[in-house]
Amino acid sequence: MSTKLDIYTTKRRGRVLNGLFTAACFLATITCVLVLLGLIWNIINQGQDWLDWDFIKHLPSRFPEKAGIKTALWGSIWLIGLTALFSVPLGVGAAVYLEEYAPRTRWRKLIQLNIANLAGVPSIVYGILGLGLFVRALAFERSVLSGALTLTLVVLPIIILASQEALRAVPDSIRRSAYALGATRWQTVWHQVLPASLPGIMTGVILSLSRALGEAAPLLVVGAMAYVPFVPEKLSDEFTALPIQIFNWTSRPQEEFHHLAAAGILVLLVVLVSMNAVAVFVRHRYGKKIRW
Amino acid sequence: MTNERSDKEQSVEMHGGEAAVIGLPRSTSLEGAGGLWSRLRPVYEGLIHTSLLICASISVLVTVGIVIVLLYESIKFFYDVPVIEFLTGTQWTPLLKPQHFGILPLLCGTMLVAGGSALVAVPIGLGTAIYLSEYASPLFRDIVKPLLEILAGIPSVVYGYLAIVFVSPIIREIFPSAGVFNAASACVVVGIMILPMIISLSEDVLQSVPISLRAAASALGANKFEVTVRVVLPAAMSGIIASFLLAVSRAIGETMAVTLAAGATPKLTLNPLESIQTMTAYIVQVSLGDTPAGTIEYRTIFAVGLALFLTTMTMNLIAQYILSRVGERYE
């Protein structure tokens, strides 16, 4: 890093202050790391004894010993699958349009600002939008479809921003050489720009889907059920999801349910960490092949 | 950057139209069909252009949709409840008789959590950002940064769980007067939640301060502490404040952790040991019940959602504006 250049001379003056400040900043950093490790240790400690195959395979139940996350797990799989189906083409398409097609006018700047702000809108507001739009106005009711469409709105701005970043990283010389050979704009995008930016786009997609997997607030507003005794089989079925199940167990006063919540969190975190690992893998494995 | 872009636009204008006529590998391989394909190509390109345009438009429509849905139900709400009563009333009991619709208790709870979490996150976050940017060895950075990214990826419902099972008991140990549900535990976990955001944004801003400034100050005889505090920090200050704004805006919109940790008692208090309710937690509370559509109780969540949306949108816009100017000064 440029700031690591050794430009500093050690002098007597202010050495104590310098030392104290450095120590305070270091302490802050260490606090962050320790908090993280402490939190994870606490969850593992609380949940590990309750985590077994029965927990994965059982339906939710009033009795903590019998309760499992089968419906929640399947609900989450449905939601993520559908959300990916809706949000990836839309998000990547929008990013391609903004980066490769849109003329650089004030309108484009406005759209850009709009997307950046959408990424900062609280997810529960998307829940309210989903409730008004999908559940009521379009009458999809409290279905898996409504939930997935709502999550699509939540992750869309993130996917667009990440994909734009990836597209921007493709050097212009690639586009120019394609145009010089007589390729049309879409041929240039499809055969040159998109393949080159694919690792970046995929990383963004995986990270935003892992965000969607952890979302509970918008799903609660759209009407995910705390207790669903069956696995969703079609788009119009009622549903629950892992974060909802965890919320439900956590909000009960009994200690046993807190252990169940911890076990549920462990499952969720394992899935999230593996998704992140895939993202890191993709970035390293396929990002390195391209040398411009 | 902008120059390169406009160059590209030009080259595209030049080639875009002609390419279709010249013909491409695909059309030469199919004799006869080639003529048809080159006539169809502009149509095909146009179709793709249009569908991509639709994709981009949807992102704008989402904003329009949010505003329309929130306004539509809110206007009906304000038909029954005067705006003045909504904004100045000190009691919020829409689900109980007698009903009161003053948003101040919810606003107060939200600000209490936002302020408290900022109190937790700002000093630690800024210190960490400074350490990582100015002091840490590259190896240390490479280890700590991914760890903090994990912190950023933990879902908010998990923080709610930690507040109840882990943080709240500790707070009750120290302050026996605290309730099981209290604002303080929400502040702590939301503070931890927004930490990664403050760290990564502030660190970016600190890194964008040019090395020449540091070298110049150092050449004038300043030691590292003086360089960091008197030169680098002031130079990065606007960007750092923007990162705080974004983080606080995130804390205001945070839902699951505050719903679980802070309880459901809309109260006009600044005592962090009491149970309170935030705007987001209220929306969840109504969603969990079975409030039929069309009733005034149902419409309250749209009014509260509108207030929430306007608050966070304003803060985000200000932060975006500040961040867009960061770095410009030194170019």
Side-chain angles (χ1 to χ4, degrees), chain A residues 174-189:
Chain A
I174 304 275
R175 298 183 183 87
R176 288 180 197 210
S177 19
Y179 290 137
L181 290 174
T184 60
R185 195 181 290 216
W186 177 242
Q187 284 173 324
T188 307
V189 170

Side-chain angles (χ1 to χ4, degrees), chain A residues 7 11 13 114 182 184-186, chain B residues 12 19 45 48 63 218 221 226:
Chain A
I7 56 172
K11 292 170 302 160
R13 187 163 61 85
N114 179 36
T184 60
R185 195 181 290 216
W186 177 242
Chain B
V12 170
E45 291 280 332
I48 283 175
T63 316
S218 190
E226 288 163 339

Side-chain angles (χ1 to χ4, degrees), chain B residues 45-62:
Chain B
E45 291 280 332
L47 271 178
I48 283 175
H49 191 137
T50 316
S51 43
L52 291 175
L53 177 63
I54 291 172
C55 290
S57 316
I58 284 179
S59 77
V60 182
L61 289 180
V62 172

Side-chain angles (χ1 to χ4, degrees), chain A residues 200-265:
Chain A
I201 293 178
M202 273 181 63
T203 315
V205 164
I206 296 171
L207 290 181
S208 53
L209 286 181
S210 72
R211 157 115 193 251
L213 193 62
E215 282 289 358
L219 295 179
L220 277 179
V221 180
V222 167
M225 295 290 177
Y227 179 75
V228 180
F230 54 82
V231 168
E233 275 162 3
K234 53 186 188 305
L235 290 179
S236 57
D237 279 347
E238 286 178 351
F239 69 104
T240 186
L242 269 179
I244 306 281
Q245 187 70 65
I246 293 166
F247 169 73
N248 181 28
W249 279 331
T250 307
S251 55
R252 297 191 191 195
Q254 299 95 326
E255 181 101 358
E256 289 86 354
F257 283 110
H258 290 172
H259 288 293
L260 281 177
I265 289 172

Side-chain angles (χ1 to χ4, degrees), chain A residues 2-4 7 11 13 17 26 36 42 46 97 114 117-118 120 136 172 179 182 184-187 262, chain B residues 8 12 19 24 41 45 48 53 59 63 131 136 147 151 161 166 211 214 218 221 223 225-226 316-317:
Chain A
S2 54
T3 55
K4 294 282 104 59
I7 56 172
K11 292 170 302 160
R13 187 163 61 85
L17 211 52
F26 181 68
L36 173 72
N42 183 274
Q46 291 263 328
Y97 179 80
N114 179 36
N117 274 297
L118 278 180
R136 304 284 176 210
D172 259 352
Y179 290 137
T184 60
R185 195 181 290 216
W186 177 242
Q187 284 173 324
Chain B
K8 185 186 116 199
V12 170
L24 290 145
R41 180 163 303 281
E45 291 280 332
I48 283 175
L53 177 63
S59 77
T63 316
Y131 189 81
L147 279 178
L151 211 52
Y161 163 85
F166 192 43
I211 182 79
R214 294 182 181 85
S218 190
N223 67 15
F225 168 72
E226 288 163 339
N316 290 345
L317 278 172

